[in-house]
Amino acid sequence: MGRRLHGRGALFETDPAGLAPRLVGLRPHQHRVTPYEHPREPPLVVLSGARGLGKTAVLAELRESYKGHTPVGLIDCEDPEFAAPPTGRPAEAWSPVSQALLVLAEQLAEQVTGAGRIQFPRLMSGLVAVAAGGWGDADSERIRREVQRILLLNESGSWVGGFAGRWAGRVAAKVVAAATGTGPLLSAAVEATLESLSEGFAGRRHQRASAWYRDYPNAGDNARRGLILLSGHFRAGGTSREHAERHLVRALRADLTDAYTGVLPRMKRLGRPLVLLDNAHTAPGPGLIEAVLRDRTEGVGDQVVFFAAVRGNGRPALRNATRRALPELARSSDWTPEPGSASSRALVVSLPPLSGDDTLHIVGADPTVPPQLPQAAHRLTGGNPLGITLVAEAAAQHPTEASSLGELLTADLRVHPEHDGRPAYLELLDRLVPPDRLDELTVLAAAHDHDSACALARALLPEHFGPADVRALGERLTTEGLPAVPGQFVGDPFVRTLLLLRLHHRDTDHGQWRKAHETLVDHYADPADEQVRYRLHHELALGSADSAVAYLRDSFTTLPAREWLAALRFVASAPYFHAHDADGRDHCGSEDRRTAVALGRTDAGHEPPEGADAALHLRVRRLLHAVWQLTDPLTLPDRTVGQRLRFELEQLSNLRPAGNALLWRASRDWPEDALAGREPHIPDEGEGEA
């Protein structure tokens, strides 16, 4: 496995062999064989999950591991070249699937160690027929350009020869002459292609290829008619086009199978060919995947290894697929397809977040970073590989800012040497959330449910963005693989933190930040409402802790200890950005005001309310600010504050005999959890609640 990846050994390891070597039949970066796990039919592997989990990095590593050793093709289905036909090409003679097949075949054709170029006569003939359907008013130069690129799929020389290939040039001239003549355009172009194919090659393999389209439905054992029918179905669109595209995908697989047929090719070619589809939830991905799965279900097999990456986990087309977490695949996939079920031919693999040790190796690779940074980075990102990688890069570029994750994320990050830098949190958001909904999500990240999200939308978003849009956006986040978490509109804590950071920095006076939290304070204004803790949470985000302290002080003796601890933890999870003072003005000081309160440095200047137990009031105030600081994902936990947290909870346990055991247990667990980058654990009833 390459140095760029961590936590993906179940895919790439050689001893024992990971999933990729077991399917491809070769060790990564080596020309050494390994036994096939599924010798008759490999599963179509689908890597699933939310953005930033490293699906693209895995596919890139697969390409680097096997390029030059076995045929490899990689496409990104979100690449603009698959979004629309090239200039001059009519839509009825082009599709994302046909373009993807051309691009994949060009890569798969490249020479590998010990074997020559793979030729694609079946696919070439089909793509010429498809392209010819759009030559009605084309000039000869455009026809030559289109057909010559396709014809090079059957070029047996080196790719360097390119468009100078003699056979391709000769056939292109014939096709152009036929297509611009006086006879039927499509028929003439197809005829010229088939004639040149049969005349130029005498081997049995090419003879089989030239006759392959005789079996096309209603072709009547006539290859020329089969290609004309395929072109017509393609131009018709809808299900007819899907039928034609399926035959083109089958042609690619048949050409690859032919390259491995016979004694001599088997001696030369080691390992299975590898097709990699990134962002395969968008066209042409679904069309390619469905065609392969349906053919394999109907007995039209192949030995091609497909790895596809899709966003999210609940794709309907994969409902019967075998599902495995990556660590389960270290030794065996335990995959068996069900007869008659196309989706069961797929193996869906969820990529897990990276571990704390992985984060340590990535972020802590630079010995100059603060020792707490790797753990804090893991807490912030939740193990998201993209987040960890960019935090490590930000620390390398800004070592003086590495004492605060908030400062690292707001510092300019240069991800490409030729581009200017911009804040790291913006770079991350561009890759972690739907770009067309970034502004809406920036506002709604402060919400807790549909109703509070609608309140924010009314206050801060355009009038046309109503409740239906809020609901649709929530469903989209779930579809893309972000977790649905009760009490949070944006369930992923890392993404939510980044969005709130953007909200805070959206304007110089932090006006939208204040308005968003003020809106939610009003939304939860009913003092009798059980959701009063949400109001306190947002008041604290605005810098006002008085109501939260009063609530926690007065409820200390009335709420069950476990419920009181849960309220403390939730209220103290309010986002905190110290870049502005109480009036919303930026200030230069970087001192965290919460630390001063937690350590009791402000006690002398703080007057408890009249009638309140002064000692309890100040203790709860210190405790709230200690938990607020220690659990903030954008700060490095302060050990001194952790010690104070332990002391305050221990002292509170003495004041609450009925909840002594739970509070005492929390006094031990919470500082340890916070300093280790974990969410504070609330003890169970069985851990001592009286």
Short mmCIF file of all heavy atoms in Angstrom, two decimals, residues 509-546:
data_model
loop_
_atom_site.label_atom_id
_atom_site.label_comp_id
_atom_site.label_asym_id
_atom_site.label_seq_id
_atom_site.Cartn_x
_atom_site.Cartn_y
_atom_site.Cartn_z
N ASP A 509 -18.86 41.76 10.97
CA ASP A 509 -19.40 42.03 12.30
C ASP A 509 -20.12 40.81 12.88
O ASP A 509 -20.76 40.90 13.93
CB ASP A 509 -20.35 43.22 12.27
CG ASP A 509 -21.60 42.95 11.43
OD1 ASP A 509 -21.63 41.92 10.72
OD2 ASP A 509 -22.52 43.78 11.47
N HIS A 510 -20.00 39.68 12.22
CA HIS A 510 -20.62 38.43 12.67
C HIS A 510 -22.13 38.57 12.83
O HIS A 510 -22.74 37.91 13.67
CB HIS A 510 -19.98 37.97 13.99
CG HIS A 510 -18.49 38.05 14.01
ND1 HIS A 510 -17.71 37.27 13.19
CD2 HIS A 510 -17.64 38.84 14.73
CE1 HIS A 510 -16.43 37.57 13.41
NE2 HIS A 510 -16.36 38.52 14.32
N GLY A 511 -22.72 39.43 12.00
CA GLY A 511 -24.14 39.71 12.10
C GLY A 511 -25.01 38.49 11.85
O GLY A 511 -25.99 38.26 12.58
N GLN A 512 -24.69 37.69 10.81
CA GLN A 512 -25.53 36.52 10.53
C GLN A 512 -25.38 35.46 11.61
O GLN A 512 -26.34 34.75 11.91
CB GLN A 512 -25.17 35.95 9.15
CG GLN A 512 -25.58 36.86 8.00
CD GLN A 512 -25.66 36.11 6.69
OE1 GLN A 512 -26.25 35.05 6.60
NE2 GLN A 512 -25.05 36.67 5.66
N TRP A 513 -24.19 35.36 12.17
CA TRP A 513 -23.98 34.44 13.29
C TRP A 513 -24.92 34.79 14.44
O TRP A 513 -25.63 33.94 14.97
CB TRP A 513 -22.53 34.51 13.72
CG TRP A 513 -22.23 33.89 15.06
CD1 TRP A 513 -22.20 34.51 16.27
CD2 TRP A 513 -21.92 32.52 15.30
NE1 TRP A 513 -21.88 33.62 17.26
CE2 TRP A 513 -21.71 32.38 16.70
CE3 TRP A 513 -21.81 31.39 14.49
CZ2 TRP A 513 -21.38 31.17 17.29
CZ3 TRP A 513 -21.48 30.18 15.08
CH2 TRP A 513 -21.27 30.09 16.45
N ARG A 514 -24.93 36.07 14.81
CA ARG A 514 -25.76 36.50 15.93
C ARG A 514 -27.24 36.34 15.60
O ARG A 514 -28.03 35.88 16.44
CB ARG A 514 -25.46 37.96 16.29
CG ARG A 514 -24.08 38.17 16.90
CD ARG A 514 -24.00 39.50 17.66
NE ARG A 514 -24.41 40.62 16.81
CZ ARG A 514 -23.59 41.26 15.99
NH1 ARG A 514 -22.33 40.87 15.90
NH2 ARG A 514 -24.01 42.28 15.27
N LYS A 515 -27.62 36.69 14.37
CA LYS A 515 -29.04 36.60 14.02
C LYS A 515 -29.52 35.15 14.02
O LYS A 515 -30.65 34.85 14.44
CB LYS A 515 -29.30 37.24 12.66
CG LYS A 515 -30.78 37.30 12.31
CD LYS A 515 -31.04 38.11 11.04
CE LYS A 515 -32.54 38.20 10.75
NZ LYS A 515 -32.82 38.98 9.54
N ALA A 516 -28.67 34.24 13.57
CA ALA A 516 -29.06 32.83 13.55
C ALA A 516 -29.32 32.33 14.97
O ALA A 516 -30.35 31.69 15.25
CB ALA A 516 -27.97 32.00 12.87
N HIS A 517 -28.41 32.63 15.89
CA HIS A 517 -28.59 32.14 17.26
C HIS A 517 -29.70 32.90 17.99
O HIS A 517 -30.43 32.30 18.80
CB HIS A 517 -27.26 32.22 18.01
CG HIS A 517 -26.25 31.23 17.52
ND1 HIS A 517 -26.34 29.88 17.77
CD2 HIS A 517 -25.13 31.40 16.78
CE1 HIS A 517 -25.33 29.25 17.20
NE2 HIS A 517 -24.57 30.15 16.60
N GLU A 518 -29.86 34.19 17.71
CA GLU A 518 -30.97 34.94 18.30
C GLU A 518 -32.31 34.38 17.82
O GLU A 518 -33.28 34.30 18.58
CB GLU A 518 -30.85 36.41 17.94
CG GLU A 518 -29.71 37.13 18.67
CD GLU A 518 -29.39 38.48 18.08
OE1 GLU A 518 -29.98 38.81 17.02
OE2 GLU A 518 -28.53 39.19 18.63
N THR A 519 -32.37 33.98 16.54
CA THR A 519 -33.59 33.38 16.00
C THR A 519 -33.95 32.11 16.75
O THR A 519 -35.12 31.85 17.08
CB THR A 519 -33.42 33.08 14.50
OG1 THR A 519 -33.20 34.30 13.80
CG2 THR A 519 -34.64 32.37 13.93
N LEU A 520 -32.95 31.29 17.05
CA LEU A 520 -33.21 30.05 17.75
C LEU A 520 -33.50 30.28 19.24
O LEU A 520 -34.26 29.52 19.85
CB LEU A 520 -32.03 29.09 17.56
CG LEU A 520 -31.87 28.61 16.11
CD1 LEU A 520 -30.64 27.74 15.96
CD2 LEU A 520 -33.11 27.86 15.64
N VAL A 521 -32.91 31.30 19.82
CA VAL A 521 -33.27 31.66 21.20
C VAL A 521 -34.76 32.00 21.26
O VAL A 521 -35.49 31.55 22.16
CB VAL A 521 -32.41 32.84 21.70
CG1 VAL A 521 -32.99 33.40 22.99
CG2 VAL A 521 -30.97 32.39 21.91
N ASP A 522 -35.23 32.79 20.29
CA ASP A 522 -36.66 33.13 20.24
C ASP A 522 -37.52 31.90 19.95
O ASP A 522 -38.62 31.76 20.49
CB ASP A 522 -36.90 34.20 19.17
CG ASP A 522 -36.28 35.53 19.52
OD1 ASP A 522 -36.00 35.76 20.72
OD2 ASP A 522 -36.05 36.34 18.60
N HIS A 523 -37.02 31.02 19.09
CA HIS A 523 -37.77 29.82 18.72
C HIS A 523 -38.02 28.93 19.94
O HIS A 523 -39.08 28.28 20.04
CB HIS A 523 -36.99 29.05 17.65
CG HIS A 523 -37.67 27.79 17.18
ND1 HIS A 523 -38.80 27.79 16.40
CD2 HIS A 523 -37.37 26.48 17.42
CE1 HIS A 523 -39.17 26.55 16.14
NE2 HIS A 523 -38.32 25.73 16.75
N TYR A 524 -37.06 28.89 20.85
CA TYR A 524 -37.18 28.06 22.05
C TYR A 524 -37.46 28.92 23.29
O TYR A 524 -37.03 28.59 24.39
CB TYR A 524 -35.89 27.26 22.26
CG TYR A 524 -35.60 26.25 21.17
CD1 TYR A 524 -34.53 26.42 20.31
CD2 TYR A 524 -36.41 25.13 21.00
CE1 TYR A 524 -34.26 25.50 19.31
CE2 TYR A 524 -36.15 24.20 20.01
CZ TYR A 524 -35.07 24.39 19.16
OH TYR A 524 -34.81 23.47 18.18
N ALA A 525 -38.21 30.00 23.12
CA ALA A 525 -38.39 30.97 24.20
C ALA A 525 -39.35 30.51 25.29
O ALA A 525 -39.32 31.03 26.41
CB ALA A 525 -38.89 32.30 23.62
N ASP A 526 -40.23 29.56 25.01
CA ASP A 526 -41.23 29.14 25.99
C ASP A 526 -40.54 28.52 27.21
O ASP A 526 -39.92 27.46 27.10
CB ASP A 526 -42.17 28.11 25.36
CG ASP A 526 -43.33 27.75 26.28
OD1 ASP A 526 -43.30 28.15 27.46
OD2 ASP A 526 -44.26 27.05 25.82
N PRO A 527 -40.62 29.16 28.37
CA PRO A 527 -39.89 28.63 29.54
C PRO A 527 -40.43 27.29 30.03
O PRO A 527 -39.73 26.56 30.73
CB PRO A 527 -40.09 29.72 30.60
CG PRO A 527 -41.35 30.44 30.19
CD PRO A 527 -41.37 30.39 28.69
N ALA A 528 -41.68 26.96 29.66
CA ALA A 528 -42.25 25.69 30.08
C ALA A 528 -41.91 24.56 29.12
O ALA A 528 -42.23 23.39 29.38
CB ALA A 528 -43.77 25.82 30.21
N ASP A 529 -41.31 24.90 28.01
CA ASP A 529 -41.00 23.91 26.98
C ASP A 529 -39.88 22.99 27.46
O ASP A 529 -38.91 23.43 28.09
CB ASP A 529 -40.57 24.63 25.69
CG ASP A 529 -40.61 23.72 24.48
OD1 ASP A 529 -40.37 22.51 24.65
OD2 ASP A 529 -40.86 24.22 23.38
N GLU A 530 -40.01 21.71 27.19
CA GLU A 530 -38.97 20.76 27.55
C GLU A 530 -37.66 21.03 26.81
O GLU A 530 -36.60 20.54 27.21
CB GLU A 530 -39.44 19.33 27.26
CG GLU A 530 -40.60 18.86 28.13
CD GLU A 530 -40.99 17.43 27.83
OE1 GLU A 530 -40.39 16.84 26.91
OE2 GLU A 530 -41.89 16.91 28.52
N GLN A 531 -37.74 21.82 25.73
CA GLN A 531 -36.54 22.09 24.94
C GLN A 531 -35.83 23.37 25.39
O GLN A 531 -35.09 23.99 24.64
CB GLN A 531 -36.92 22.20 23.46
CG GLN A 531 -37.45 20.88 22.89
CD GLN A 531 -37.82 21.02 21.42
OE1 GLN A 531 -38.36 22.03 21.00
NE2 GLN A 531 -37.52 19.99 20.65
N VAL A 532 -36.01 23.74 26.65
CA VAL A 532 -35.37 24.95 27.17
C VAL A 532 -33.85 24.86 27.05
O VAL A 532 -33.17 25.88 26.91
CB VAL A 532 -35.79 25.19 28.64
CG1 VAL A 532 -35.31 24.05 29.54
CG2 VAL A 532 -35.26 26.52 29.13
N ARG A 533 -33.32 23.64 27.06
CA ARG A 533 -31.86 23.49 26.96
C ARG A 533 -31.34 23.97 25.62
O ARG A 533 -30.19 24.42 25.52
CB ARG A 533 -31.48 22.02 27.17
CG ARG A 533 -31.85 21.51 28.56
CD ARG A 533 -31.69 20.01 28.67
NE ARG A 533 -32.27 19.53 29.93
CZ ARG A 533 -32.31 18.25 30.26
NH1 ARG A 533 -31.82 17.33 29.44
NH2 ARG A 533 -32.85 17.88 31.41
N TYR A 534 -32.17 23.88 24.58
CA TYR A 534 -31.75 24.40 23.27
C TYR A 534 -31.59 25.91 23.35
O TYR A 534 -30.65 26.48 22.76
CB TYR A 534 -32.76 24.02 22.20
CG TYR A 534 -32.75 22.55 21.84
CD1 TYR A 534 -33.72 21.69 22.35
CD2 TYR A 534 -31.78 22.03 21.00
CE1 TYR A 534 -33.71 20.34 22.02
CE2 TYR A 534 -31.76 20.68 20.66
CZ TYR A 534 -32.73 19.84 21.18
OH TYR A 534 -32.70 18.51 20.86
N ARG A 535 -32.52 26.58 24.06
CA ARG A 535 -32.40 28.04 24.19
C ARG A 535 -31.11 28.40 24.93
O ARG A 535 -30.37 29.30 24.52
CB ARG A 535 -33.62 28.60 24.93
CG ARG A 535 -33.48 30.10 25.25
CD ARG A 535 -34.76 30.65 25.85
NE ARG A 535 -35.19 29.96 27.04
CZ ARG A 535 -34.70 30.18 28.26
NH1 ARG A 535 -33.74 31.08 28.43
NH2 ARG A 535 -35.17 29.52 29.31
N LEU A 536 -30.83 27.69 26.01
CA LEU A 536 -29.61 27.96 26.77
C LEU A 536 -28.36 27.70 25.93
O LEU A 536 -27.37 28.43 26.04
CB LEU A 536 -29.58 27.09 28.03
CG LEU A 536 -30.77 27.26 28.98
CD1 LEU A 536 -30.68 26.26 30.13
CD2 LEU A 536 -30.84 28.69 29.51
N HIS A 537 -28.40 26.66 25.11
CA HIS A 537 -27.30 26.33 24.20
C HIS A 537 -26.98 27.51 23.28
O HIS A 537 -25.81 27.88 23.10
CB HIS A 537 -27.70 25.08 23.40
CG HIS A 537 -26.77 24.68 22.32
ND1 HIS A 537 -25.79 23.72 22.48
CD2 HIS A 537 -26.67 25.09 21.03
CE1 HIS A 537 -25.14 23.56 21.34
NE2 HIS A 537 -25.66 24.37 20.44
N HIS A 538 -28.03 28.12 22.72
CA HIS A 538 -27.81 29.22 21.76
C HIS A 538 -27.49 30.54 22.47
O HIS A 538 -26.77 31.37 21.92
CB HIS A 538 -29.01 29.34 20.84
CG HIS A 538 -29.14 28.17 19.91
ND1 HIS A 538 -28.31 27.99 18.84
CD2 HIS A 538 -29.97 27.09 19.95
CE1 HIS A 538 -28.63 26.85 18.22
NE2 HIS A 538 -29.63 26.29 18.89
N GLU A 539 -28.02 30.72 23.67
CA GLU A 539 -27.60 31.90 24.44
C GLU A 539 -26.11 31.81 24.76
O GLU A 539 -25.39 32.82 24.70
CB GLU A 539 -28.41 32.00 25.73
CG GLU A 539 -29.85 32.46 25.52
CD GLU A 539 -30.59 32.64 26.84
OE1 GLU A 539 -29.99 32.36 27.91
OE2 GLU A 539 -31.76 33.06 26.81
N LEU A 540 -25.65 30.62 25.10
CA LEU A 540 -24.23 30.43 25.39
C LEU A 540 -23.39 30.69 24.15
O LEU A 540 -22.30 31.27 24.23
CB LEU A 540 -24.00 29.02 25.92
CG LEU A 540 -22.65 28.75 26.60
CD1 LEU A 540 -22.43 29.67 27.78
CD2 LEU A 540 -22.54 27.29 27.01
N ALA A 541 -23.89 30.27 22.96
CA ALA A 541 -23.17 30.53 21.71
C ALA A 541 -23.04 32.02 21.46
O ALA A 541 -22.09 32.47 20.79
CB ALA A 541 -23.89 29.86 20.54
N LEU A 542 -23.97 32.81 21.98
CA LEU A 542 -23.91 34.27 21.85
C LEU A 542 -23.06 34.91 22.95
O LEU A 542 -22.90 36.14 22.99
CB LEU A 542 -25.32 34.86 21.89
CG LEU A 542 -26.18 34.57 20.66
CD1 LEU A 542 -27.64 34.90 20.94
CD2 LEU A 542 -25.68 35.34 19.45
N GLY A 543 -22.51 34.09 23.86
CA GLY A 543 -21.63 34.62 24.89
C GLY A 543 -22.30 34.88 26.21
O GLY A 543 -21.66 35.37 27.14
N SER A 544 -23.60 34.56 26.34
CA SER A 544 -24.33 34.81 27.58
C SER A 544 -24.51 33.51 28.34
O SER A 544 -25.24 32.61 27.89
CB SER A 544 -25.70 35.43 27.29
OG SER A 544 -26.44 35.57 28.48
N ALA A 545 -23.84 33.39 29.48
CA ALA A 545 -23.88 32.15 30.24
C ALA A 545 -24.80 32.23 31.46
O ALA A 545 -25.04 31.22 32.13
CB ALA A 545 -22.48 31.79 30.70
N ASP A 546 -25.36 33.40 31.77
CA ASP A 546 -26.11 33.58 33.02
C ASP A 546 -27.29 32.63 33.14
O ASP A 546 -27.50 31.99 34.18
CB ASP A 546 -26.58 35.03 33.14
CG ASP A 546 -25.42 36.00 33.33
OD1 ASP A 546 -24.30 35.53 33.65
OD2 ASP A 546 -25.63 37.22 33.15
#
